[in-house]
Amino acid sequence: MLSTGLQKAFIRLYTIIKLSLFFWLFSFCGLLILGIGPSLLMISDLYHYNGWHYQLDSFKAAWQLFKQYFKVGNAYFYSWVGLLVLLSFNLWYSVRLRGLIFLILDFVIIFAIILVICVFNGLIVLAGAYSTSTINLLKLAFIQFFSNFFNVLKTVLGYVIILGFTYKFPGLILFGTVPAILIWTAFIGRPWYQTLKGQLA
Protein backbone atom coordinates (compact mmCIF):
# COMPACT_ATOMS: atom_id res chain seq x y z
CA MET A 1 0.00 0.00 0.00
CA LEU A 2 2.82 2.36 0.95
CA SER A 3 4.84 1.42 -2.13
CA THR A 4 1.82 2.05 -4.37
CA GLY A 5 1.34 5.49 -2.84
CA LEU A 6 5.01 6.31 -3.30
CA GLN A 7 4.86 5.11 -6.90
CA LYS A 8 1.86 7.33 -7.63
CA ALA A 9 3.59 10.30 -5.99
CA PHE A 10 6.74 9.67 -8.02
CA ILE A 11 4.76 9.40 -11.28
CA ARG A 12 2.92 12.67 -10.57
CA LEU A 13 6.12 14.43 -9.60
CA TYR A 14 7.93 13.17 -12.69
CA THR A 15 5.03 14.19 -14.95
CA ILE A 16 5.05 17.72 -13.53
CA ILE A 17 8.83 17.98 -13.96
CA LYS A 18 8.63 16.70 -17.54
CA LEU A 19 5.84 19.12 -18.46
CA SER A 20 7.76 21.97 -16.84
CA LEU A 21 10.91 21.17 -18.81
CA PHE A 22 8.86 20.99 -22.01
CA PHE A 23 7.34 24.36 -21.15
CA TRP A 24 10.69 26.08 -20.69
CA LEU A 25 12.33 24.32 -23.64
CA PHE A 26 9.67 25.47 -26.08
CA SER A 27 9.37 28.89 -24.43
CA PHE A 28 13.04 29.44 -25.19
CA CYS A 29 12.45 28.11 -28.71
CA GLY A 30 10.23 31.16 -29.09
CA LEU A 31 12.85 33.32 -27.36
CA LEU A 32 10.40 33.63 -24.44
CA ILE A 33 8.69 36.59 -26.14
CA LEU A 34 6.86 34.32 -28.58
CA GLY A 35 7.16 31.03 -26.72
CA ILE A 36 5.35 31.30 -23.40
CA GLY A 37 1.77 31.47 -24.72
CA PRO A 38 1.90 28.46 -27.05
CA SER A 39 3.92 26.50 -24.47
CA LEU A 40 1.16 27.00 -21.89
CA LEU A 41 -1.44 25.62 -24.28
CA MET A 42 0.92 22.80 -25.25
CA ILE A 43 1.40 21.47 -21.70
CA SER A 44 -2.30 21.95 -20.95
CA ASP A 45 -3.19 19.85 -23.99
CA LEU A 46 -0.66 17.14 -23.07
CA TYR A 47 -1.96 16.91 -19.52
CA HIS A 48 -5.60 16.84 -20.59
CA TYR A 49 -5.18 13.95 -23.02
CA ASN A 50 -2.37 12.01 -21.33
CA GLY A 51 -2.95 12.76 -17.66
CA TRP A 52 -0.25 11.19 -15.52
CA HIS A 53 0.88 8.86 -18.34
CA TYR A 54 4.16 10.70 -18.81
CA GLN A 55 5.32 8.09 -21.35
CA LEU A 56 2.87 9.61 -23.85
CA ASP A 57 4.29 13.11 -23.45
CA SER A 58 6.74 12.90 -26.33
CA PHE A 59 8.90 15.65 -27.77
CA LYS A 60 7.32 15.12 -31.19
CA ALA A 61 3.79 15.56 -29.85
CA ALA A 62 4.86 18.63 -27.87
CA TRP A 63 6.46 20.20 -30.95
CA GLN A 64 3.35 19.64 -33.06
CA LEU A 65 1.16 21.23 -30.39
CA PHE A 66 3.56 24.16 -29.99
CA LYS A 67 3.30 24.91 -33.70
CA GLN A 68 -0.46 24.41 -33.65
CA TYR A 69 -0.96 26.86 -30.78
CA PHE A 70 1.70 29.40 -31.80
CA LYS A 71 -0.58 32.21 -32.97
CA VAL A 72 -3.51 31.72 -30.63
CA GLY A 73 -1.24 31.09 -27.64
CA ASN A 74 0.57 34.39 -28.12
CA ALA A 75 -2.75 36.18 -28.63
CA TYR A 76 -4.11 34.76 -25.35
CA PHE A 77 -0.92 35.44 -23.41
CA TYR A 78 -0.38 39.03 -24.47
CA SER A 79 -4.05 39.92 -24.08
CA TRP A 80 -3.77 38.61 -20.51
CA VAL A 81 -0.50 40.45 -19.84
CA GLY A 82 -1.97 43.68 -21.21
CA LEU A 83 -4.99 43.43 -18.92
CA LEU A 84 -2.83 42.61 -15.90
CA VAL A 85 -0.50 45.54 -16.55
CA LEU A 86 -3.47 47.90 -16.96
CA LEU A 87 -5.17 46.68 -13.79
CA SER A 88 -1.93 46.70 -11.79
CA PHE A 89 -1.19 50.28 -12.85
CA ASN A 90 -4.69 51.36 -11.85
CA LEU A 91 -4.33 49.59 -8.49
CA TRP A 92 -0.96 51.26 -7.89
CA TYR A 93 -2.50 54.64 -8.67
CA SER A 94 -5.66 54.00 -6.65
CA VAL A 95 -3.92 52.94 -3.40
CA ARG A 96 -2.10 56.29 -3.38
CA LEU A 97 -5.40 58.14 -3.12
CA ARG A 98 -7.41 58.52 0.07
CA GLY A 99 -11.13 58.24 0.60
CA LEU A 100 -13.85 55.62 0.87
CA ILE A 101 -14.51 55.63 -2.85
CA PHE A 102 -10.90 54.84 -3.65
CA LEU A 103 -10.82 52.14 -0.96
CA ILE A 104 -13.81 50.48 -2.60
CA LEU A 105 -12.12 50.93 -5.97
CA ASP A 106 -9.02 49.15 -4.61
CA PHE A 107 -11.09 46.08 -3.75
CA VAL A 108 -12.85 46.17 -7.12
CA ILE A 109 -9.51 46.24 -8.95
CA ILE A 110 -8.12 43.43 -6.77
CA PHE A 111 -11.19 41.36 -7.58
CA ALA A 112 -10.71 42.15 -11.28
CA ILE A 113 -7.07 41.00 -11.09
CA ILE A 114 -8.14 37.71 -9.45
CA LEU A 115 -10.84 37.34 -12.11
CA VAL A 116 -8.38 37.90 -14.96
CA ILE A 117 -5.85 35.43 -13.53
CA CYS A 118 -8.42 32.70 -12.88
CA VAL A 119 -10.22 33.18 -16.20
CA PHE A 120 -6.93 33.08 -18.10
CA ASN A 121 -5.85 29.84 -16.43
CA GLY A 122 -9.32 28.41 -16.99
CA LEU A 123 -9.12 29.46 -20.63
CA ILE A 124 -5.78 27.68 -21.04
CA VAL A 125 -7.17 24.49 -19.49
CA LEU A 126 -10.37 24.63 -21.56
CA ALA A 127 -8.45 25.33 -24.77
CA GLY A 128 -6.53 22.11 -24.24
CA ALA A 129 -9.76 20.18 -23.79
CA TYR A 130 -12.21 21.63 -26.31
CA SER A 131 -11.84 22.61 -29.96
CA THR A 132 -14.09 25.63 -30.20
CA SER A 133 -13.86 29.38 -30.80
CA THR A 134 -12.07 31.76 -28.46
CA ILE A 135 -15.36 33.51 -27.67
CA ASN A 136 -16.95 30.24 -26.54
CA LEU A 137 -13.87 29.36 -24.48
CA LEU A 138 -14.00 32.76 -22.79
CA LYS A 139 -17.69 32.33 -22.03
CA LEU A 140 -17.01 28.93 -20.47
CA ALA A 141 -14.09 30.32 -18.46
CA PHE A 142 -16.25 33.14 -17.09
CA ILE A 143 -19.12 30.76 -16.31
CA GLN A 144 -16.69 28.49 -14.48
CA PHE A 145 -15.38 31.40 -12.41
CA PHE A 146 -18.82 32.59 -11.31
CA SER A 147 -20.37 29.12 -10.91
CA ASN A 148 -18.83 28.30 -7.53
CA PHE A 149 -17.41 30.88 -5.11
CA PHE A 150 -15.74 28.25 -2.91
CA ASN A 151 -13.92 26.80 -5.91
CA VAL A 152 -12.54 30.27 -6.61
CA LEU A 153 -11.29 30.48 -3.02
CA LYS A 154 -9.68 27.04 -3.28
CA THR A 155 -8.13 27.93 -6.63
CA VAL A 156 -6.64 31.18 -5.34
CA LEU A 157 -5.45 29.51 -2.13
CA GLY A 158 -3.73 26.85 -4.23
CA TYR A 159 -2.02 29.52 -6.33
CA VAL A 160 -0.80 31.28 -3.19
CA ILE A 161 0.61 28.04 -1.76
CA ILE A 162 2.34 27.12 -5.04
CA LEU A 163 3.84 30.59 -5.38
CA GLY A 164 4.82 30.53 -1.71
CA PHE A 165 6.75 27.28 -2.19
CA THR A 166 8.28 28.75 -5.36
CA TYR A 167 9.40 31.82 -3.45
CA LYS A 168 11.02 29.59 -0.81
CA PHE A 169 12.47 27.14 -3.38
CA PRO A 170 13.20 29.15 -6.57
CA GLY A 171 14.27 26.00 -8.42
CA LEU A 172 10.57 25.12 -8.71
CA ILE A 173 10.26 27.83 -11.36
CA LEU A 174 12.18 25.51 -13.67
CA PHE A 175 10.92 22.17 -12.38
CA GLY A 176 7.26 22.54 -11.55
CA THR A 177 5.54 25.86 -10.86
CA VAL A 178 3.87 26.47 -14.23
CA PRO A 179 2.34 23.00 -14.79
CA ALA A 180 1.45 22.79 -11.09
CA ILE A 181 -0.71 25.91 -11.44
CA LEU A 182 -2.47 24.56 -14.53
CA ILE A 183 -2.95 21.10 -13.01
CA TRP A 184 -4.34 22.66 -9.83
CA THR A 185 -6.75 24.72 -11.96
CA ALA A 186 -7.88 21.57 -13.79
CA PHE A 187 -8.18 19.61 -10.53
CA ILE A 188 -10.43 22.18 -8.83
CA GLY A 189 -12.55 22.54 -11.98
CA ARG A 190 -12.86 18.80 -12.61
CA PRO A 191 -16.48 18.44 -11.33
CA TRP A 192 -17.52 21.41 -13.45
CA TYR A 193 -15.71 20.00 -16.52
CA GLN A 194 -17.45 16.65 -16.02
CA THR A 195 -20.82 18.39 -15.81
CA LEU A 196 -20.02 20.34 -18.97
CA LYS A 197 -18.93 17.17 -20.75
CA GLY A 198 -22.22 15.51 -19.82
CA GLN A 199 -24.20 18.45 -21.18
CA LEU A 200 -22.27 18.45 -24.45
CA ALA A 201 -22.54 14.68 -24.90
Side-chain angles (χ1 to χ4, degrees):
M1 191 74 174
L2 180 61
S3 61
T4 302
L6 289 173
Q7 184 181 20
K8 287 182 178 180
F10 174 80
I11 289 172
R12 281 156 174 71
L13 181 61
Y14 184 80
T15 303
I16 290 173
I17 292 173
K18 188 173 183 179
L19 289 174
S20 188
L21 293 176
F22 272 169
F23 170 78
W24 287 112
L25 173 63
F26 286 100
S27 291
F28 278 104
C29 283
L31 303 177
L32 291 180
I33 297 174
L34 297 175
I36 294 177
S39 295
L40 286 171
L41 288 169
M42 176 264 292
I43 63 172
S44 175
D45 194 299
L46 288 174
Y47 176 73
H48 174 76
Y49 287 103
N50 300 335
W52 301 112
H53 300 288
Y54 62 86
Q55 305 92 334
L56 301 177
D57 297 334
S58 67
F59 179 87
K60 182 178 180 181
W63 174 242
Q64 292 299 324
L65 290 170
F66 179 81
K67 292 189 294 182
Q68 175 185 330
Y69 288 127
F70 188 79
K71 290 183 179 179
V72 68
N74 281 304
Y76 289 171
F77 180 70
Y78 282 106
S79 296
W80 176 68
V81 169
L83 280 173
L84 273 187
V85 169
L86 180 63
L87 289 170
S88 298
F89 174 78
N90 279 280
L91 180 61
W92 174 82
Y93 187 77
S94 178
V95 295
R96 299 167 66 89
L97 302 174
R98 295 183 178 181
L100 180 60
I101 293 178
F102 293 108
L103 180 62
I104 295 172
L105 182 60
D106 292 343
F107 283 104
V108 170
I109 296 174
I110 290 171
F111 174 80
I113 290 174
I114 294 172
L115 170 66
V116 168
I117 291 172
C118 290
V119 167
F120 174 75
N121 287 330
L123 174 68
I124 295 297
V125 172
L126 287 165
Y130 301 100
S131 298
T132 185
S133 67
T134 299
I135 296 298
N136 287 332
L137 290 173
L138 275 173
K139 289 178 181 178
L140 291 174
F142 272 101
I143 292 171
Q144 179 187 359
F145 181 86
F146 289 105
S147 65
N148 192 315
F149 176 73
F150 290 106
N151 277 352
V152 174
L153 290 180
K154 288 186 287 186
T155 300
V156 173
L157 179 60
Y159 294 164
V160 170
I161 292 172
I162 292 170
L163 293 177
F165 272 103
T166 303
Y167 178 79
K168 190 172 183 180
F169 306 103
L172 289 174
I173 295 174
L174 177 62
F175 293 108
T177 299
V178 175
I181 288 174
L182 292 181
I183 290 172
W184 178 251
T185 302
F187 174 76
I188 294 299
R190 183 179 299 173
W192 188 82
Y193 298 141
Q194 290 175 345
T195 301
L196 178 63
K197 184 178 180 180
Q199 291 175 347
L200 295 176

